[in-house]
Amino acid sequence: MSDNGAALILEDVRKSFAKLEVLSGIDLVLAEHEVVCLIGASGSGKSTLLRCVNLLEPINAGRIVVRGEDVTATGVNVNELRRGIGIVFQSFNLFPHMSVLDNITLAPRKALGLSKAEAQARADELLARFGLADKRDEYPDRLSGGQQQRVAIVRALAMQPGLMLLDEVTSALDPELVAEVLSVIRELAAEGMTMLIATHEMGFARDVANRVCFLDAGVILEDGTPEEIFGAPREPRTQQFLQRIVEAGRL
Amino acid sequence: MLVVVNAAGWPDVRQAFFDRDLFQESFPDIARAFLLNVKIFLIAEAVILVFALFIAVLRGLPGPVFFPVRVLATIYADLFRGIPTILVIYILGFGVTALQLPGVPVSELFWGTVALVLVYSAYVSEVYRAGIESVHPSQEAAARSLGLNRFQALRHVIIPQAVRRIVPPLLNDFIGLQKDTALVALLGVVEAFRQSQIDVSATFNYTPYICTAILFVAITVPLARFTDWLVARDRRRQLAGGVR
C-alpha cells in the first residue's frame, strides 16, 4: 500500500503486557491535518495505542508509519522520530524542578540544538499565544491544573511537531478548567494540526474530530464521522458505551 | 549533666579531659593538623559525588547488553560496603605503596584518601540509586517523548530531581566521611586525631582529644545548617505555600 500522503498509518498493531493483549490488531490511517478522536472505556487500549505511536511502548507485531517513515523498522532513530511527534499526557508530566520557560526550552535546545535565545523566543511566542506569558518564570507546582496542561501542550508544540498525540489531557482537571484546555486544542485543530486524541469528552470529540474511532477490547470496533458514531452507531457495543455516557450526563 | 558533674570520679575526669591550659596549648597544633582533615574531606567528597553517580547510573542501565556492567557495579558496591573501612585503608595504604609500582604514588595520604573514596562511593552510589528510582517513570517518559536521548533525560530531568530528594542522606554520608578522615591517621599521616594522640602521649592528659572533637563538630554543624537552608530555599521556590 502507498505510504504517501498519510500522517500516520497503523497496520495490524499488536501489543501485549505479559499475557494480557491490550491491542489486538489496530488498523488506522490519519491523513495530514486530520483530527481523530479515540473513544472507549478505560482499559480499552487508547493510551497504550498513543504510547506505541511514539515508541514509548515497543509493539509486538504490526507496522507503524509516521509521515512515510516506517518507525517500527529496525535501526530507526527513536529520538529523531519523537522530535516530530508531540505527546501530551493526562498527568501533565511537567518537570517540577524547572520553571515554565525551562520546561519549554529544554528539548528545543538539547534535542534540536537551538540556541538559548532562539528557544526562548519560540517559547515566549507560544506562551503569549496561549495566554501564559505571565507564567513564564513560575514553577509548575504553582500553576493550576489547566495552566499546567496548557504549558505541557506548549512544551510539545515548541518542538514544532507534525503530529500531536493527546492522551486524555483533561481527565485530571476540575470541570471548570477543562474548557481552557479544550479551547487550546480547538485552536490547534483549526490551524490544521494533525492530531490523534484519546478522550472521554464526547461533546468535544463531536465538535473537533473529523473522525471518531471507538476502541473496544483492543480493536477499533467502529470508525466514522462524529455524526455517524454519535448519531447512529452500528455496533451494539458502541451503542451500549454511548448509552452509558448519556446516562452519566457527559454527552 | 548533673549526674556527670556529681559523679565520684568527676574531679579526676575534669582534670584529665578538660584542662584549660593544656587546651589552649594544644589547640593551635591540632587546628593546623585539622586543615589536613578538611583537605582530605573536600577532595574525597568532590571525587565521590561524581564517581558514585557514575556507579549508580551504570547500575541503572537497562537491557541485557549492559548486564555485565550492572554486575560489575553491583559487585563493587557490595564489596566496598562489606569490608570494614579500616581494612580498606590498611590494604591500600600499606599494600599498594609496598608494591613500588612505577608511576604509582607511594604516599600514604594519597592511598588513604583513595580508600575513603572507594568505601564512601559505594555507600553514596546506593543513595543516588534510591533517588534516581524514586523519580516517577512518567518523568522519563515525558523527557524521552520530547526527543531527548537517555543520557539527556538523566542529566536534565531525572538526576536533578533525584539529587534534591537525597540531600539529607547524602549529608549523612558526608558527615560520616568527614569523621572517618581520622582513620587515615592509622597510616601514619599526621592529621588532627594523630596530632592529638601525640599531644596526649606527651602530657598523659586527654584534653587534646576534646579539642579534636570540638573541631569536628564545629565543621559538621554549619554544614548541616547550610544544607537545610539549601533544601528549604529550593522547596520554597518550587512550591506554592505548602502545608506547615
Side-chain angles (χ1 to χ4, degrees), chain B residues 65-94:
Chain B
V65 187
F66 293 110
F67 179 70
V69 180
R70 285 198 298 272
V71 169
L72 285 177
T74 310
I75 290 175
Y76 163 77
D78 287 352
L79 205 63
F80 281 95
R81 280 186 306 163
I83 307 175
T85 312
I86 252 188
L87 292 184
V88 179
I89 288 176
Y90 270 135
I91 292 167
L92 288 183
F94 291 138

PDB file of all heavy atoms in Angstrom, chain B residues 65-94:
ATOM      1  N   VAL B  65      22.178  -6.119  27.244  1.00  0.00           N
ATOM      2  CA  VAL B  65      23.506  -5.719  26.773  1.00  0.00           C
ATOM      3  C   VAL B  65      24.371  -5.241  27.941  1.00  0.00           C
ATOM      4  O   VAL B  65      25.566  -5.506  28.002  1.00  0.00           O
ATOM      5  CB  VAL B  65      23.399  -4.564  25.745  1.00  0.00           C
ATOM      6  CG1 VAL B  65      24.755  -4.259  25.136  1.00  0.00           C
ATOM      7  CG2 VAL B  65      22.370  -4.896  24.686  1.00  0.00           C
ATOM      8  N   PHE B  66      23.747  -4.544  28.873  1.00  0.00           N
ATOM      9  CA  PHE B  66      24.510  -3.932  29.967  1.00  0.00           C
ATOM     10  C   PHE B  66      24.593  -4.828  31.202  1.00  0.00           C
ATOM     11  O   PHE B  66      25.043  -4.384  32.245  1.00  0.00           O
ATOM     12  CB  PHE B  66      23.897  -2.584  30.334  1.00  0.00           C
ATOM     13  CG  PHE B  66      24.050  -1.562  29.240  1.00  0.00           C
ATOM     14  CD1 PHE B  66      22.941  -1.140  28.520  1.00  0.00           C
ATOM     15  CD2 PHE B  66      25.295  -1.044  28.924  1.00  0.00           C
ATOM     16  CE1 PHE B  66      23.078  -0.209  27.504  1.00  0.00           C
ATOM     17  CE2 PHE B  66      25.434  -0.114  27.913  1.00  0.00           C
ATOM     18  CZ  PHE B  66      24.325   0.304  27.194  1.00  0.00           C
ATOM     19  N   PHE B  67      24.145  -6.078  31.046  1.00  0.00           N
ATOM     20  CA  PHE B  67      24.154  -6.979  32.196  1.00  0.00           C
ATOM     21  C   PHE B  67      25.532  -7.068  32.865  1.00  0.00           C
ATOM     22  O   PHE B  67      25.646  -6.914  34.085  1.00  0.00           O
ATOM     23  CB  PHE B  67      23.649  -8.368  31.790  1.00  0.00           C
ATOM     24  CG  PHE B  67      23.647  -9.351  32.914  1.00  0.00           C
ATOM     25  CD1 PHE B  67      22.732  -9.222  33.961  1.00  0.00           C
ATOM     26  CD2 PHE B  67      24.570 -10.386  32.965  1.00  0.00           C
ATOM     27  CE1 PHE B  67      22.723 -10.123  35.005  1.00  0.00           C
ATOM     28  CE2 PHE B  67      24.579 -11.288  34.015  1.00  0.00           C
ATOM     29  CZ  PHE B  67      23.653 -11.152  35.036  1.00  0.00           C
ATOM     30  N   PRO B  68      26.622  -7.273  32.099  1.00  0.00           N
ATOM     31  CA  PRO B  68      27.947  -7.351  32.753  1.00  0.00           C
ATOM     32  C   PRO B  68      28.312  -6.072  33.502  1.00  0.00           C
ATOM     33  O   PRO B  68      28.894  -6.131  34.587  1.00  0.00           O
ATOM     34  CB  PRO B  68      28.902  -7.577  31.577  1.00  0.00           C
ATOM     35  CG  PRO B  68      28.064  -8.041  30.453  1.00  0.00           C
ATOM     36  CD  PRO B  68      26.709  -7.454  30.641  1.00  0.00           C
ATOM     37  N   VAL B  69      27.953  -4.936  32.923  1.00  0.00           N
ATOM     38  CA  VAL B  69      28.244  -3.651  33.575  1.00  0.00           C
ATOM     39  C   VAL B  69      27.505  -3.546  34.901  1.00  0.00           C
ATOM     40  O   VAL B  69      28.076  -3.146  35.922  1.00  0.00           O
ATOM     41  CB  VAL B  69      27.849  -2.470  32.649  1.00  0.00           C
ATOM     42  CG1 VAL B  69      28.137  -1.146  33.322  1.00  0.00           C
ATOM     43  CG2 VAL B  69      28.574  -2.578  31.318  1.00  0.00           C
ATOM     44  N   ARG B  70      26.229  -3.929  34.868  1.00  0.00           N
ATOM     45  CA  ARG B  70      25.434  -3.888  36.096  1.00  0.00           C
ATOM     46  C   ARG B  70      26.041  -4.799  37.159  1.00  0.00           C
ATOM     47  O   ARG B  70      26.121  -4.432  38.331  1.00  0.00           O
ATOM     48  CB  ARG B  70      23.989  -4.324  35.810  1.00  0.00           C
ATOM     49  CG  ARG B  70      23.147  -3.290  35.104  1.00  0.00           C
ATOM     50  CD  ARG B  70      21.657  -3.604  35.253  1.00  0.00           C
ATOM     51  NE  ARG B  70      21.280  -4.886  34.662  1.00  0.00           N
ATOM     52  CZ  ARG B  70      20.917  -5.044  33.384  1.00  0.00           C
ATOM     53  NH1 ARG B  70      20.887  -3.991  32.591  1.00  0.00           N
ATOM     54  NH2 ARG B  70      20.573  -6.223  32.920  1.00  0.00           N
ATOM     55  N   VAL B  71      26.462  -5.991  36.724  1.00  0.00           N
ATOM     56  CA  VAL B  71      27.055  -6.944  37.674  1.00  0.00           C
ATOM     57  C   VAL B  71      28.317  -6.360  38.299  1.00  0.00           C
ATOM     58  O   VAL B  71      28.494  -6.396  39.520  1.00  0.00           O
ATOM     59  CB  VAL B  71      27.361  -8.289  36.983  1.00  0.00           C
ATOM     60  CG1 VAL B  71      28.216  -9.169  37.885  1.00  0.00           C
ATOM     61  CG2 VAL B  71      26.067  -9.002  36.624  1.00  0.00           C
ATOM     62  N   LEU B  72      29.177  -5.785  37.466  1.00  0.00           N
ATOM     63  CA  LEU B  72      30.422  -5.210  37.986  1.00  0.00           C
ATOM     64  C   LEU B  72      30.139  -4.097  38.986  1.00  0.00           C
ATOM     65  O   LEU B  72      30.756  -4.043  40.063  1.00  0.00           O
ATOM     66  CB  LEU B  72      31.279  -4.670  36.828  1.00  0.00           C
ATOM     67  CG  LEU B  72      31.992  -5.727  35.988  1.00  0.00           C
ATOM     68  CD1 LEU B  72      32.750  -5.071  34.840  1.00  0.00           C
ATOM     69  CD2 LEU B  72      32.948  -6.555  36.850  1.00  0.00           C
ATOM     70  N   ALA B  73      29.208  -3.222  38.636  1.00  0.00           N
ATOM     71  CA  ALA B  73      28.876  -2.114  39.533  1.00  0.00           C
ATOM     72  C   ALA B  73      28.297  -2.639  40.847  1.00  0.00           C
ATOM     73  O   ALA B  73      28.583  -2.105  41.928  1.00  0.00           O
ATOM     74  CB  ALA B  73      27.884  -1.167  38.851  1.00  0.00           C
ATOM     75  N   THR B  74      27.508  -3.694  40.749  1.00  0.00           N
ATOM     76  CA  THR B  74      26.917  -4.278  41.958  1.00  0.00           C
ATOM     77  C   THR B  74      27.994  -4.912  42.837  1.00  0.00           C
ATOM     78  O   THR B  74      28.004  -4.736  44.057  1.00  0.00           O
ATOM     79  CB  THR B  74      25.861  -5.348  41.577  1.00  0.00           C
ATOM     80  OG1 THR B  74      24.972  -4.788  40.622  1.00  0.00           O
ATOM     81  CG2 THR B  74      25.083  -5.800  42.790  1.00  0.00           C
ATOM     82  N   ILE B  75      28.907  -5.639  42.212  1.00  0.00           N
ATOM     83  CA  ILE B  75      29.998  -6.258  42.971  1.00  0.00           C
ATOM     84  C   ILE B  75      30.812  -5.183  43.683  1.00  0.00           C
ATOM     85  O   ILE B  75      31.142  -5.314  44.861  1.00  0.00           O
ATOM     86  CB  ILE B  75      30.912  -7.086  42.029  1.00  0.00           C
ATOM     87  CG1 ILE B  75      30.164  -8.328  41.542  1.00  0.00           C
ATOM     88  CG2 ILE B  75      32.207  -7.488  42.747  1.00  0.00           C
ATOM     89  CD1 ILE B  75      30.927  -9.145  40.525  1.00  0.00           C
ATOM     90  N   TYR B  76      31.085  -4.116  42.970  1.00  0.00           N
ATOM     91  CA  TYR B  76      31.848  -3.024  43.579  1.00  0.00           C
ATOM     92  C   TYR B  76      31.146  -2.507  44.836  1.00  0.00           C
ATOM     93  O   TYR B  76      31.749  -2.404  45.910  1.00  0.00           O
ATOM     94  CB  TYR B  76      32.041  -1.886  42.566  1.00  0.00           C
ATOM     95  CG  TYR B  76      32.442  -0.594  43.227  1.00  0.00           C
ATOM     96  CD1 TYR B  76      33.748  -0.403  43.660  1.00  0.00           C
ATOM     97  CD2 TYR B  76      31.509   0.411  43.472  1.00  0.00           C
ATOM     98  CE1 TYR B  76      34.116   0.758  44.315  1.00  0.00           C
ATOM     99  CE2 TYR B  76      31.864   1.569  44.124  1.00  0.00           C
ATOM    100  CZ  TYR B  76      33.163   1.739  44.537  1.00  0.00           C
ATOM    101  OH  TYR B  76      33.519   2.875  45.192  1.00  0.00           O
ATOM    102  N   ALA B  77      29.852  -2.208  44.689  1.00  0.00           N
ATOM    103  CA  ALA B  77      29.117  -1.643  45.821  1.00  0.00           C
ATOM    104  C   ALA B  77      29.061  -2.627  46.987  1.00  0.00           C
ATOM    105  O   ALA B  77      29.260  -2.248  48.143  1.00  0.00           O
ATOM    106  CB  ALA B  77      27.700  -1.251  45.380  1.00  0.00           C
ATOM    107  N   ASP B  78      28.810  -3.897  46.672  1.00  0.00           N
ATOM    108  CA  ASP B  78      28.734  -4.911  47.733  1.00  0.00           C
ATOM    109  C   ASP B  78      30.063  -5.053  48.459  1.00  0.00           C
ATOM    110  O   ASP B  78      30.125  -5.108  49.685  1.00  0.00           O
ATOM    111  CB  ASP B  78      28.336  -6.266  47.141  1.00  0.00           C
ATOM    112  CG  ASP B  78      26.878  -6.297  46.729  1.00  0.00           C
ATOM    113  OD1 ASP B  78      26.178  -5.313  47.048  1.00  0.00           O
ATOM    114  OD2 ASP B  78      26.460  -7.269  46.099  1.00  0.00           O
ATOM    115  N   LEU B  79      31.134  -5.110  47.666  1.00  0.00           N
ATOM    116  CA  LEU B  79      32.466  -5.334  48.221  1.00  0.00           C
ATOM    117  C   LEU B  79      32.875  -4.209  49.166  1.00  0.00           C
ATOM    118  O   LEU B  79      33.239  -4.437  50.319  1.00  0.00           O
ATOM    119  CB  LEU B  79      33.458  -5.429  47.053  1.00  0.00           C
ATOM    120  CG  LEU B  79      34.738  -6.214  47.288  1.00  0.00           C
ATOM    121  CD1 LEU B  79      34.397  -7.672  47.575  1.00  0.00           C
ATOM    122  CD2 LEU B  79      35.629  -6.131  46.051  1.00  0.00           C
ATOM    123  N   PHE B  80      32.775  -2.982  48.683  1.00  0.00           N
ATOM    124  CA  PHE B  80      33.306  -1.877  49.476  1.00  0.00           C
ATOM    125  C   PHE B  80      32.381  -1.434  50.599  1.00  0.00           C
ATOM    126  O   PHE B  80      32.803  -0.750  51.519  1.00  0.00           O
ATOM    127  CB  PHE B  80      33.689  -0.706  48.566  1.00  0.00           C
ATOM    128  CG  PHE B  80      35.008  -0.940  47.891  1.00  0.00           C
ATOM    129  CD1 PHE B  80      35.070  -1.491  46.616  1.00  0.00           C
ATOM    130  CD2 PHE B  80      36.198  -0.667  48.549  1.00  0.00           C
ATOM    131  CE1 PHE B  80      36.286  -1.736  46.008  1.00  0.00           C
ATOM    132  CE2 PHE B  80      37.424  -0.915  47.946  1.00  0.00           C
ATOM    133  CZ  PHE B  80      37.467  -1.451  46.678  1.00  0.00           C
ATOM    134  N   ARG B  81      31.112  -1.854  50.526  1.00  0.00           N
ATOM    135  CA  ARG B  81      30.267  -1.618  51.693  1.00  0.00           C
ATOM    136  C   ARG B  81      30.479  -2.713  52.720  1.00  0.00           C
ATOM    137  O   ARG B  81      30.234  -2.528  53.904  1.00  0.00           O
ATOM    138  CB  ARG B  81      28.790  -1.555  51.290  1.00  0.00           C
ATOM    139  CG  ARG B  81      28.419  -0.212  50.703  1.00  0.00           C
ATOM    140  CD  ARG B  81      26.938  -0.133  50.459  1.00  0.00           C
ATOM    141  NE  ARG B  81      26.492  -1.258  49.627  1.00  0.00           N
ATOM    142  CZ  ARG B  81      25.219  -1.620  49.521  1.00  0.00           C
ATOM    143  NH1 ARG B  81      24.289  -0.982  50.172  1.00  0.00           N
ATOM    144  NH2 ARG B  81      24.896  -2.632  48.733  1.00  0.00           N
ATOM    145  N   GLY B  82      30.941  -3.865  52.233  1.00  0.00           N
ATOM    146  CA  GLY B  82      31.087  -5.010  53.126  1.00  0.00           C
ATOM    147  C   GLY B  82      32.369  -5.001  53.939  1.00  0.00           C
ATOM    148  O   GLY B  82      32.375  -5.384  55.114  1.00  0.00           O
ATOM    149  N   ILE B  83      33.466  -4.570  53.335  1.00  0.00           N
ATOM    150  CA  ILE B  83      34.751  -4.596  54.042  1.00  0.00           C
ATOM    151  C   ILE B  83      34.825  -3.418  55.019  1.00  0.00           C
ATOM    152  O   ILE B  83      34.519  -2.291  54.647  1.00  0.00           O
ATOM    153  CB  ILE B  83      35.927  -4.478  53.044  1.00  0.00           C
ATOM    154  CG1 ILE B  83      35.787  -5.531  51.942  1.00  0.00           C
ATOM    155  CG2 ILE B  83      37.266  -4.630  53.757  1.00  0.00           C
ATOM    156  CD1 ILE B  83      36.834  -5.397  50.857  1.00  0.00           C
ATOM    157  N   PRO B  84      35.231  -3.658  56.249  1.00  0.00           N
ATOM    158  CA  PRO B  84      35.396  -2.545  57.189  1.00  0.00           C
ATOM    159  C   PRO B  84      36.352  -1.487  56.616  1.00  0.00           C
ATOM    160  O   PRO B  84      37.399  -1.832  56.051  1.00  0.00           O
ATOM    161  CB  PRO B  84      36.005  -3.206  58.425  1.00  0.00           C
ATOM    162  CG  PRO B  84      35.571  -4.625  58.341  1.00  0.00           C
ATOM    163  CD  PRO B  84      35.497  -4.948  56.880  1.00  0.00           C
ATOM    164  N   THR B  85      35.973  -0.239  56.784  1.00  0.00           N
ATOM    165  CA  THR B  85      36.747   0.866  56.225  1.00  0.00           C
ATOM    166  C   THR B  85      38.216   0.790  56.625  1.00  0.00           C
ATOM    167  O   THR B  85      39.129   1.019  55.815  1.00  0.00           O
ATOM    168  CB  THR B  85      36.157   2.205  56.717  1.00  0.00           C
ATOM    169  OG1 THR B  85      34.753   2.160  56.539  1.00  0.00           O
ATOM    170  CG2 THR B  85      36.739   3.377  55.966  1.00  0.00           C
ATOM    171  N   ILE B  86      38.408   0.450  57.879  1.00  0.00           N
ATOM    172  CA  ILE B  86      39.769   0.382  58.424  1.00  0.00           C
ATOM    173  C   ILE B  86      40.642  -0.586  57.626  1.00  0.00           C
ATOM    174  O   ILE B  86      41.804  -0.325  57.330  1.00  0.00           O
ATOM    175  CB  ILE B  86      39.679  -0.053  59.919  1.00  0.00           C
ATOM    176  CG1 ILE B  86      40.006   1.134  60.810  1.00  0.00           C
ATOM    177  CG2 ILE B  86      40.550  -1.207  60.233  1.00  0.00           C
ATOM    178  CD1 ILE B  86      40.126   0.788  62.263  1.00  0.00           C
ATOM    179  N   LEU B  87      40.041  -1.722  57.215  1.00  0.00           N
ATOM    180  CA  LEU B  87      40.807  -2.708  56.452  1.00  0.00           C
ATOM    181  C   LEU B  87      41.147  -2.189  55.066  1.00  0.00           C
ATOM    182  O   LEU B  87      42.259  -2.401  54.572  1.00  0.00           O
ATOM    183  CB  LEU B  87      40.015  -4.018  56.348  1.00  0.00           C
ATOM    184  CG  LEU B  87      39.837  -4.783  57.658  1.00  0.00           C
ATOM    185  CD1 LEU B  87      39.120  -6.101  57.423  1.00  0.00           C
ATOM    186  CD2 LEU B  87      41.194  -5.042  58.308  1.00  0.00           C
ATOM    187  N   VAL B  88      40.189  -1.523  54.432  1.00  0.00           N
ATOM    188  CA  VAL B  88      40.454  -0.974  53.103  1.00  0.00           C
ATOM    189  C   VAL B  88      41.614   0.016  53.189  1.00  0.00           C
ATOM    190  O   VAL B  88      42.512   0.038  52.340  1.00  0.00           O
ATOM    191  CB  VAL B  88      39.200  -0.289  52.537  1.00  0.00           C
ATOM    192  CG1 VAL B  88      39.484   0.305  51.163  1.00  0.00           C
ATOM    193  CG2 VAL B  88      38.035  -1.271  52.443  1.00  0.00           C
ATOM    194  N   ILE B  89      41.604   0.814  54.254  1.00  0.00           N
ATOM    195  CA  ILE B  89      42.673   1.800  54.426  1.00  0.00           C
ATOM    196  C   ILE B  89      44.024   1.103  54.623  1.00  0.00           C
ATOM    197  O   ILE B  89      45.018   1.468  53.986  1.00  0.00           O
ATOM    198  CB  ILE B  89      42.350   2.739  55.608  1.00  0.00           C
ATOM    199  CG1 ILE B  89      41.201   3.673  55.203  1.00  0.00           C
ATOM    200  CG2 ILE B  89      43.583   3.535  56.024  1.00  0.00           C
ATOM    201  CD1 ILE B  89      40.722   4.587  56.298  1.00  0.00           C
ATOM    202  N   TYR B  90      44.023   0.063  55.429  1.00  0.00           N
ATOM    203  CA  TYR B  90      45.279  -0.678  55.632  1.00  0.00           C
ATOM    204  C   TYR B  90      45.766  -1.325  54.340  1.00  0.00           C
ATOM    205  O   TYR B  90      46.931  -1.223  53.956  1.00  0.00           O
ATOM    206  CB  TYR B  90      45.069  -1.782  56.690  1.00  0.00           C
ATOM    207  CG  TYR B  90      45.345  -1.317  58.100  1.00  0.00           C
ATOM    208  CD1 TYR B  90      44.469  -1.644  59.133  1.00  0.00           C
ATOM    209  CD2 TYR B  90      46.496  -0.582  58.397  1.00  0.00           C
ATOM    210  CE1 TYR B  90      44.707  -1.235  60.432  1.00  0.00           C
ATOM    211  CE2 TYR B  90      46.729  -0.166  59.698  1.00  0.00           C
ATOM    212  CZ  TYR B  90      45.847  -0.491  60.718  1.00  0.00           C
ATOM    213  OH  TYR B  90      46.096  -0.082  61.988  1.00  0.00           O
ATOM    214  N   ILE B  91      44.826  -2.016  53.674  1.00  0.00           N
ATOM    215  CA  ILE B  91      45.203  -2.779  52.469  1.00  0.00           C
ATOM    216  C   ILE B  91      45.781  -1.858  51.399  1.00  0.00           C
ATOM    217  O   ILE B  91      46.835  -2.127  50.829  1.00  0.00           O
ATOM    218  CB  ILE B  91      43.992  -3.558  51.922  1.00  0.00           C
ATOM    219  CG1 ILE B  91      43.606  -4.675  52.908  1.00  0.00           C
ATOM    220  CG2 ILE B  91      44.300  -4.142  50.548  1.00  0.00           C
ATOM    221  CD1 ILE B  91      42.253  -5.307  52.635  1.00  0.00           C
ATOM    222  N   LEU B  92      45.082  -0.726  51.153  1.00  0.00           N
ATOM    223  CA  LEU B  92      45.561   0.187  50.116  1.00  0.00           C
ATOM    224  C   LEU B  92      46.781   0.973  50.599  1.00  0.00           C
ATOM    225  O   LEU B  92      47.776   1.114  49.887  1.00  0.00           O
ATOM    226  CB  LEU B  92      44.454   1.158  49.691  1.00  0.00           C
ATOM    227  CG  LEU B  92      43.312   0.551  48.862  1.00  0.00           C
ATOM    228  CD1 LEU B  92      42.327   1.635  48.459  1.00  0.00           C
ATOM    229  CD2 LEU B  92      43.848  -0.154  47.628  1.00  0.00           C
ATOM    230  N   GLY B  93      46.698   1.454  51.838  1.00  0.00           N
ATOM    231  CA  GLY B  93      47.754   2.334  52.352  1.00  0.00           C
ATOM    232  C   GLY B  93      49.086   1.628  52.518  1.00  0.00           C
ATOM    233  O   GLY B  93      50.142   2.191  52.224  1.00  0.00           O
ATOM    234  N   PHE B  94      49.043   0.386  52.988  1.00  0.00           N
ATOM    235  CA  PHE B  94      50.306  -0.342  53.178  1.00  0.00           C
ATOM    236  C   PHE B  94      50.598  -1.271  52.006  1.00  0.00           C
ATOM    237  O   PHE B  94      51.741  -1.453  51.623  1.00  0.00           O
ATOM    238  CB  PHE B  94      50.260  -1.147  54.483  1.00  0.00           C
ATOM    239  CG  PHE B  94      50.271  -0.267  55.704  1.00  0.00           C
ATOM    240  CD1 PHE B  94      49.450  -0.552  56.787  1.00  0.00           C
ATOM    241  CD2 PHE B  94      51.096   0.855  55.765  1.00  0.00           C
ATOM    242  CE1 PHE B  94      49.459   0.264  57.916  1.00  0.00           C
ATOM    243  CE2 PHE B  94      51.103   1.667  56.886  1.00  0.00           C
ATOM    244  CZ  PHE B  94      50.279   1.372  57.963  1.00  0.00           C
TER     245      PHE B  94
END
